[in-house]
Amino acid sequence: MAGTARTVIIEEHGGPEALKLADWPVGEPGPGEVRIRHKACGLNFIDCYQRSGLYPMTLPHALGMEASGVIDAVGEGVAHLEVGDRAAYAAAPPGAYCEARVMPAAQVCRLPDAISFEEGAAMMLKGLTVQYLFHRTTPLQAGDTVLFHAAAGGVGLIACQWAKSEGIRLIGTAGSDEKCALAMEHGADACINYATEDWVAKVRELTDGKGVDVVMDSVGKATFEGSLDCLKPLGMMISFGNASGAVDAFNLGVLAQKGSLKVTRPTLFTHIADHGTCQSMAGMLFGKVSSGEVKIRIDQRFPLEDVAEAHRVLEARRTTGQTILTLE
């Protein structure tokens, strides 16, 4: 493959209107790199953060952190992939919104035949996030209780199923009765409509006043304080996103006052930075999906050229399940 590929770029930070479709150069892979011809691309909140400037980038820059496709060329030193392999990834640097690209190979994973390209594009960033939330952040075991915000979203529906498969009780929150029903269909033990209920009080009621062992919160500013109030003593708050804005600074002494609580702010890309760890995490995710324990629900599909509308819908929280950009 030579020349260029249709690629979504930004030349300045801003709203969805900043997204532009351009012909972007595609070269040959160097050492440790592969060239991948995409079949579908995933859409994630981190893409909006990068576009807006919340997570600044050197511009101009291509966007997108997740996709699936076929390996088209392999650079020197790459041993785990071959030309013709089906593959999927969640990886830096941004640049997945495109027909083809050259990229580092370490976080690109061979995609099992049982998993479609659309599923592969939709599941990697969100599914690997759920893997580290449940297996790499704090010890969780069957019988524990987790509060999960945005339980009907892309990460949330995977988390609901993952928790059920491991005997973990998941209490979700969502913004409508319809979204709550969807979360419960996917394995949530209960789901609270935060638009109509006092969700902190409801969590306390559902746990007989004890609170939950762990909160998993990708919403950020709007839910952070309430999430702390849902934890039992010695509980763990995992803040892993900023959908409502970045969490304000707070007094660490509050954690002592509320029961010697723990707080962490992890990122997926720290967890998958090591090649072996990334491949192992992906193997667990692929196993969950191939076995049917976790089903990847794709509720929104947009052609690559409609990426700006996809961002608008995502930021307006009008999505459920996964959202992908299609190329064919």
Side-chain angles (χ1 to χ4, degrees), residues 242-303:
N242 312 289
S244 67
V247 174
D248 293 329
F250 71 100
N251 181 354
L252 280 175
V254 169
L255 302 180
Q257 297 164 13
K258 293 181 181 292
S260 300
L261 305 180
K262 301 177 285 278
V263 176
T264 185
R265 180 55 174 91
T267 71
L268 171 63
F269 300 103
T270 305
H271 283 279
I272 64 173
D274 175 75
H275 167 70
T277 300
C278 176
Q279 300 297 319
S280 176
M281 291 170 64
M284 178 178 280
L285 171 61
F286 293 153
K288 291 280 189 184
V289 175
S290 297
S291 70
E293 289 181 313
V294 171
K295 293 180 171 61
I296 304 303
R297 178 183 174 124
I298 302 170
D299 287 343
Q300 297 81 214
R301 293 173 173 83
F302 295 87

Side-chain angles (χ1 to χ4, degrees), residues 84-144:
D85 279 347
R86 304 171 76 252
Y89 64 87
Y97 291 177
C98 65
E99 293 175 319
R101 69 183 295 200
V102 170
M103 64 180 296
Q107 282 69 45
V108 181
C109 306
R110 185 179 286 121
L111 186 66
D113 291 340
I115 300 174
S116 72
F117 284 118
E118 286 199 347
E119 290 171 324
M123 68 187 268
M124 292 300 288
L125 193 146
K126 304 170 193 72
L128 291 172
T129 295
V130 173
Q131 197 280 342
Y132 87 67
L133 289 173
F134 280 84
H135 289 274
R136 291 176 55 83
T137 309
T138 191
L140 278 168
Q141 57 189 1
D144 286 345

Side-chain angles (χ1 to χ4, degrees), residues 33 154 174 231:
E33 295 181 330
L231 286 167

